[in-house]
Amino acid sequence: MKRMFIILLMLACLPLAACSAISELNSNVIQTNQWYQVAGYIDGDTFKIKTGSDETTIRLLYVDTPETKKQDSPVEPFGPEASAYTKELLTESQEVRLTFDKELNDQYDRTLAMVELKDGRILNELLLEEGLAKVLIVEPNVKMENAYKQLEQQAKVAKKGLWSNTDESTHTEFPVKKAARTGITMDVDKVAELVTITNTTNDAIPMNGWKLVSVRGNQTFPFGPYILEAKQIVIVSSADETVTSDSDILQWGATNIWNNKESDPAELYNQYNELVSVWEDN
């Protein structure tokens, strides 16, 4: 009888143990609609949150702050300021809420996220606004590229933080690589808000992963799966009104992209971030 009682007791405990395990598993899965306690600080763009019984490292999406702890590298200008600013905001908030893009983790298994503070502000954006970070876009995470480049440009114009140094303001972060062969030409009608891209070759050109950039405004149109056929043109429109044409028309998704009062060149990059074509606004 005693043995039977023990067996029944063990069977009764099994569902409770299973529920406990499931609860613990769910608590370790990061969700977008949940507030997480800040568990530690690393540098300006990296920190830790509490997830169940563990801690998870968060890497801010779309931004890169100056290095302070990179091995065999000196502390970079404004690195300590960026780290202190991030720590101050996270300390005040105590909890954060996360949103994501297409990739959840980077090569170091850090969770890639936009970080909302308790007061509703976004940490990633605040760092850009204060000139304490630069835009860093790593495909396929490009959802906020246009908006964040505009924030960076505003900090440049105001000469905040990193951009208070004229060398930073006038030199690009990454050297431009030019494609060896393209056969692509480009023309921009700024008033009509139309960009005409022509394939002058005898071969179809897949444009998935390509980018069209309005240089003045740092605004980017990313190409999805699209093939520009041989000797054909495609039009990228940011016009207010619907445009009709015998050629394919791709909608930018925003309007009034091109600056009609100042020079606003256009640049076209392929999927390897190589410069394919330039339209000089003389």
Side-chain angles (χ1 to χ4, degrees), residues 243-259:
V243 176
T244 58
S245 173
D246 293 334
S247 303
D248 289 344
I249 298 178
L250 304 178
Q251 298 297 328
W252 192 298
T255 57
N256 301 318
I257 296 296
W258 302 98
N259 192 317

PDB file of all heavy atoms in Angstrom, residues 243-259:
ATOM      1  N   VAL A 243       2.145  57.307 -61.394  1.00  0.00           N
ATOM      2  CA  VAL A 243       2.835  57.520 -62.662  1.00  0.00           C
ATOM      3  C   VAL A 243       2.554  56.335 -63.581  1.00  0.00           C
ATOM      4  O   VAL A 243       2.558  55.183 -63.141  1.00  0.00           O
ATOM      5  CB  VAL A 243       4.350  57.661 -62.443  1.00  0.00           C
ATOM      6  CG1 VAL A 243       5.083  57.795 -63.774  1.00  0.00           C
ATOM      7  CG2 VAL A 243       4.644  58.841 -61.533  1.00  0.00           C
ATOM      8  N   THR A 244       2.279  56.618 -64.848  1.00  0.00           N
ATOM      9  CA  THR A 244       2.056  55.555 -65.833  1.00  0.00           C
ATOM     10  C   THR A 244       3.205  55.525 -66.826  1.00  0.00           C
ATOM     11  O   THR A 244       3.752  56.566 -67.202  1.00  0.00           O
ATOM     12  CB  THR A 244       0.728  55.771 -66.589  1.00  0.00           C
ATOM     13  OG1 THR A 244       0.761  57.054 -67.231  1.00  0.00           O
ATOM     14  CG2 THR A 244      -0.454  55.715 -65.626  1.00  0.00           C
ATOM     15  N   SER A 245       3.575  54.328 -67.229  1.00  0.00           N
ATOM     16  CA  SER A 245       4.674  54.170 -68.176  1.00  0.00           C
ATOM     17  C   SER A 245       4.596  52.778 -68.781  1.00  0.00           C
ATOM     18  O   SER A 245       4.023  51.853 -68.181  1.00  0.00           O
ATOM     19  CB  SER A 245       6.023  54.360 -67.472  1.00  0.00           C
ATOM     20  OG  SER A 245       7.089  54.051 -68.347  1.00  0.00           O
ATOM     21  N   ASP A 246       5.178  52.631 -69.976  1.00  0.00           N
ATOM     22  CA  ASP A 246       5.264  51.316 -70.597  1.00  0.00           C
ATOM     23  C   ASP A 246       6.311  50.451 -69.906  1.00  0.00           C
ATOM     24  O   ASP A 246       6.323  49.226 -70.070  1.00  0.00           O
ATOM     25  CB  ASP A 246       5.621  51.453 -72.082  1.00  0.00           C
ATOM     26  CG  ASP A 246       4.502  52.111 -72.883  1.00  0.00           C
ATOM     27  OD1 ASP A 246       3.330  51.999 -72.451  1.00  0.00           O
ATOM     28  OD2 ASP A 246       4.802  52.744 -73.918  1.00  0.00           O
ATOM     29  N   SER A 247       7.189  51.093 -69.153  1.00  0.00           N
ATOM     30  CA  SER A 247       8.235  50.369 -68.429  1.00  0.00           C
ATOM     31  C   SER A 247       7.765  50.025 -67.012  1.00  0.00           C
ATOM     32  O   SER A 247       6.781  50.572 -66.511  1.00  0.00           O
ATOM     33  CB  SER A 247       9.506  51.213 -68.353  1.00  0.00           C
ATOM     34  OG  SER A 247       9.955  51.570 -69.639  1.00  0.00           O
ATOM     35  N   ASP A 248       8.486  49.124 -66.350  1.00  0.00           N
ATOM     36  CA  ASP A 248       8.174  48.778 -64.970  1.00  0.00           C
ATOM     37  C   ASP A 248       8.392  49.981 -64.063  1.00  0.00           C
ATOM     38  O   ASP A 248       9.359  50.739 -64.242  1.00  0.00           O
ATOM     39  CB  ASP A 248       9.070  47.627 -64.493  1.00  0.00           C
ATOM     40  CG  ASP A 248       8.704  46.306 -65.153  1.00  0.00           C
ATOM     41  OD1 ASP A 248       7.606  46.224 -65.722  1.00  0.00           O
ATOM     42  OD2 ASP A 248       9.524  45.375 -65.102  1.00  0.00           O
ATOM     43  N   ILE A 249       7.517  50.152 -63.085  1.00  0.00           N
ATOM     44  CA  ILE A 249       7.640  51.239 -62.116  1.00  0.00           C
ATOM     45  C   ILE A 249       7.669  50.632 -60.712  1.00  0.00           C
ATOM     46  O   ILE A 249       6.773  49.877 -60.326  1.00  0.00           O
ATOM     47  CB  ILE A 249       6.471  52.231 -62.233  1.00  0.00           C
ATOM     48  CG1 ILE A 249       6.468  52.888 -63.609  1.00  0.00           C
ATOM     49  CG2 ILE A 249       6.564  53.298 -61.140  1.00  0.00           C
ATOM     50  CD1 ILE A 249       5.316  53.848 -63.833  1.00  0.00           C
ATOM     51  N   LEU A 250       8.711  50.959 -59.970  1.00  0.00           N
ATOM     52  CA  LEU A 250       8.842  50.523 -58.582  1.00  0.00           C
ATOM     53  C   LEU A 250       8.589  51.719 -57.672  1.00  0.00           C
ATOM     54  O   LEU A 250       9.148  52.795 -57.888  1.00  0.00           O
ATOM     55  CB  LEU A 250      10.239  49.950 -58.320  1.00  0.00           C
ATOM     56  CG  LEU A 250      10.674  48.799 -59.236  1.00  0.00           C
ATOM     57  CD1 LEU A 250      12.086  48.359 -58.887  1.00  0.00           C
ATOM     58  CD2 LEU A 250       9.708  47.617 -59.128  1.00  0.00           C
ATOM     59  N   GLN A 251       7.758  51.547 -56.674  1.00  0.00           N
ATOM     60  CA  GLN A 251       7.421  52.640 -55.765  1.00  0.00           C
ATOM     61  C   GLN A 251       8.422  52.698 -54.612  1.00  0.00           C
ATOM     62  O   GLN A 251       8.683  51.688 -53.952  1.00  0.00           O
ATOM     63  CB  GLN A 251       5.997  52.442 -55.212  1.00  0.00           C
ATOM     64  CG  GLN A 251       4.916  52.455 -56.283  1.00  0.00           C
ATOM     65  CD  GLN A 251       4.832  53.797 -56.997  1.00  0.00           C
ATOM     66  OE1 GLN A 251       5.087  54.850 -56.422  1.00  0.00           O
ATOM     67  NE2 GLN A 251       4.452  53.758 -58.275  1.00  0.00           N
ATOM     68  N   TRP A 252       8.960  53.900 -54.375  1.00  0.00           N
ATOM     69  CA  TRP A 252       9.938  54.085 -53.305  1.00  0.00           C
ATOM     70  C   TRP A 252       9.316  53.766 -51.949  1.00  0.00           C
ATOM     71  O   TRP A 252       9.978  53.231 -51.068  1.00  0.00           O
ATOM     72  CB  TRP A 252      10.474  55.521 -53.334  1.00  0.00           C
ATOM     73  CG  TRP A 252      11.673  55.747 -52.469  1.00  0.00           C
ATOM     74  CD1 TRP A 252      11.751  55.619 -51.113  1.00  0.00           C
ATOM     75  CD2 TRP A 252      12.980  56.125 -52.905  1.00  0.00           C
ATOM     76  NE1 TRP A 252      13.019  55.899 -50.676  1.00  0.00           N
ATOM     77  CE2 TRP A 252      13.791  56.214 -51.758  1.00  0.00           C
ATOM     78  CE3 TRP A 252      13.537  56.423 -54.149  1.00  0.00           C
ATOM     79  CZ2 TRP A 252      15.139  56.577 -51.806  1.00  0.00           C
ATOM     80  CZ3 TRP A 252      14.876  56.780 -54.202  1.00  0.00           C
ATOM     81  CH2 TRP A 252      15.668  56.855 -53.048  1.00  0.00           C
ATOM     82  N   GLY A 253       8.049  54.120 -51.773  1.00  0.00           N
ATOM     83  CA  GLY A 253       7.399  53.938 -50.479  1.00  0.00           C
ATOM     84  C   GLY A 253       7.412  55.201 -49.649  1.00  0.00           C
ATOM     85  O   GLY A 253       6.852  55.257 -48.551  1.00  0.00           O
ATOM     86  N   ALA A 254       8.059  56.252 -50.172  1.00  0.00           N
ATOM     87  CA  ALA A 254       8.077  57.576 -49.549  1.00  0.00           C
ATOM     88  C   ALA A 254       8.023  58.600 -50.673  1.00  0.00           C
ATOM     89  O   ALA A 254       8.271  58.280 -51.840  1.00  0.00           O
ATOM     90  CB  ALA A 254       9.323  57.768 -48.696  1.00  0.00           C
ATOM     91  N   THR A 255       7.660  59.849 -50.344  1.00  0.00           N
ATOM     92  CA  THR A 255       7.555  60.888 -51.360  1.00  0.00           C
ATOM     93  C   THR A 255       8.524  62.026 -51.068  1.00  0.00           C
ATOM     94  O   THR A 255       9.066  62.130 -49.967  1.00  0.00           O
ATOM     95  CB  THR A 255       6.123  61.436 -51.434  1.00  0.00           C
ATOM     96  OG1 THR A 255       5.746  61.938 -50.138  1.00  0.00           O
ATOM     97  CG2 THR A 255       5.152  60.339 -51.843  1.00  0.00           C
ATOM     98  N   ASN A 256       8.715  62.880 -52.081  1.00  0.00           N
ATOM     99  CA  ASN A 256       9.580  64.059 -51.944  1.00  0.00           C
ATOM    100  C   ASN A 256      10.981  63.695 -51.456  1.00  0.00           C
ATOM    101  O   ASN A 256      11.506  64.268 -50.496  1.00  0.00           O
ATOM    102  CB  ASN A 256       8.928  65.080 -50.994  1.00  0.00           C
ATOM    103  CG  ASN A 256       7.570  65.541 -51.492  1.00  0.00           C
ATOM    104  OD1 ASN A 256       7.392  65.797 -52.673  1.00  0.00           O
ATOM    105  ND2 ASN A 256       6.606  65.619 -50.585  1.00  0.00           N
ATOM    106  N   ILE A 257      11.570  62.730 -52.121  1.00  0.00           N
ATOM    107  CA  ILE A 257      12.915  62.264 -51.762  1.00  0.00           C
ATOM    108  C   ILE A 257      13.994  63.236 -52.232  1.00  0.00           C
ATOM    109  O   ILE A 257      14.954  63.524 -51.515  1.00  0.00           O
ATOM    110  CB  ILE A 257      13.173  60.874 -52.384  1.00  0.00           C
ATOM    111  CG1 ILE A 257      12.216  59.832 -51.796  1.00  0.00           C
ATOM    112  CG2 ILE A 257      14.629  60.453 -52.186  1.00  0.00           C
ATOM    113  CD1 ILE A 257      12.386  59.577 -50.323  1.00  0.00           C
ATOM    114  N   TRP A 258      13.843  63.782 -53.428  1.00  0.00           N
ATOM    115  CA  TRP A 258      14.937  64.507 -54.067  1.00  0.00           C
ATOM    116  C   TRP A 258      14.877  65.997 -53.753  1.00  0.00           C
ATOM    117  O   TRP A 258      13.830  66.629 -53.809  1.00  0.00           O
ATOM    118  CB  TRP A 258      14.915  64.276 -55.587  1.00  0.00           C
ATOM    119  CG  TRP A 258      15.011  62.801 -55.861  1.00  0.00           C
ATOM    120  CD1 TRP A 258      13.981  61.940 -56.125  1.00  0.00           C
ATOM    121  CD2 TRP A 258      16.200  62.010 -55.814  1.00  0.00           C
ATOM    122  NE1 TRP A 258      14.465  60.664 -56.267  1.00  0.00           N
ATOM    123  CE2 TRP A 258      15.811  60.673 -56.078  1.00  0.00           C
ATOM    124  CE3 TRP A 258      17.541  62.303 -55.589  1.00  0.00           C
ATOM    125  CZ2 TRP A 258      16.737  59.631 -56.121  1.00  0.00           C
ATOM    126  CZ3 TRP A 258      18.465  61.269 -55.628  1.00  0.00           C
ATOM    127  CH2 TRP A 258      18.062  59.960 -55.890  1.00  0.00           C
ATOM    128  N   ASN A 259      16.023  66.569 -53.426  1.00  0.00           N
ATOM    129  CA  ASN A 259      16.139  67.977 -53.043  1.00  0.00           C
ATOM    130  C   ASN A 259      16.223  68.839 -54.304  1.00  0.00           C
ATOM    131  O   ASN A 259      17.179  68.734 -55.077  1.00  0.00           O
ATOM    132  CB  ASN A 259      17.387  68.177 -52.177  1.00  0.00           C
ATOM    133  CG  ASN A 259      17.427  69.527 -51.510  1.00  0.00           C
ATOM    134  OD1 ASN A 259      17.126  70.531 -52.130  1.00  0.00           O
ATOM    135  ND2 ASN A 259      17.801  69.551 -50.250  1.00  0.00           N
TER     136      ASN A 259
END
